[in-house]
Amino acid sequence: MSSELRRHNVRADQKALRVLAIGMFIASLLLLVATTSLAGTSAETSRYLSKLIVVGQGVSGVRLGDSPKRVTAILGKPASTQPPYWTYPQVGERITFENNEVTDVWTESIAERTSNGVGPGTSRQHLRSAYPKSQCKTARYTSAQACSLLSTIHGRSRETDFLILGTTVRAVEVYFTRSK
């Protein structure tokens, strides 16, 4: 075999190896991107779910009826625990306990939203179009309003209040209503 032919074969072999190496590199990269995307989706989903206000049920993954242990597992250690309240100022939350169960969750966090996109920082107009059945009342002696949604889940009455100052929702409170 001539030296020219040998050089050609060596070059062809080297080129084939480079193409194979590049192909394997691309395949590894695609696999890495795919697994990172899936992990990211899961993390994004849990971040999204933790920022959700669920009308009649709770906020940030904390639900009415949850135990202190479950709240700690979800939100971590509270900044303050002055009974009956636990406060989480870093996420704009206040949780009330009665008989070792969550009875009230309050949020002022602009990151929190209902599935209809309503939460602190949204306009009154958006709230009214998203929840046309909400009952709005002006508080006595102030210009503040509360627009309420009533619900009953598992035989317990609950209320979700959107507290409005001016034209903006400032806070959302989800709580068990008291029997009258």
Side-chain angles (χ1 to χ4, degrees), residues 118 122-132 164 166-169:
V118 177
T122 58
S123 70
R124 180 186 191 284
Q125 183 179 5
H126 182 97
L127 164 66
R128 294 297 288 157
S129 66
Y131 298 102
I164 301 167
T167 60
T168 307
V169 174

Side-chain angles (χ1 to χ4, degrees), residues 41-111:
T41 301
S42 157
E44 286 169 21
T45 301
S46 69
R47 262 196 307 270
Y48 170 74
L49 289 176
S50 73
K51 298 296 181 191
L52 190 63
I53 297 167
V54 182
V55 172
Q57 294 185 38
V59 179
S60 292
V62 174
R63 296 181 308 234
L64 297 178
D66 280 350
S67 67
K69 185 177 180 179
R70 185 165 191 285
V71 172
T72 303
I74 294 167
L75 296 178
K77 184 179 174 186
S80 164
T81 57
Q82 296 176 340
Y85 307 111
W86 283 15
T87 57
Y88 292 87
Q90 68 276 20
V91 291
E93 313 266 332
R94 185 192 75 213
I95 297 167
T96 306
F97 290 94
E98 200 173 294
N99 298 322
N100 272 337
E101 74 170 356
V102 173
T103 57
D104 185 303
V105 183
W106 167 286
T107 185
E108 295 177 9
S109 171
I110 60 171

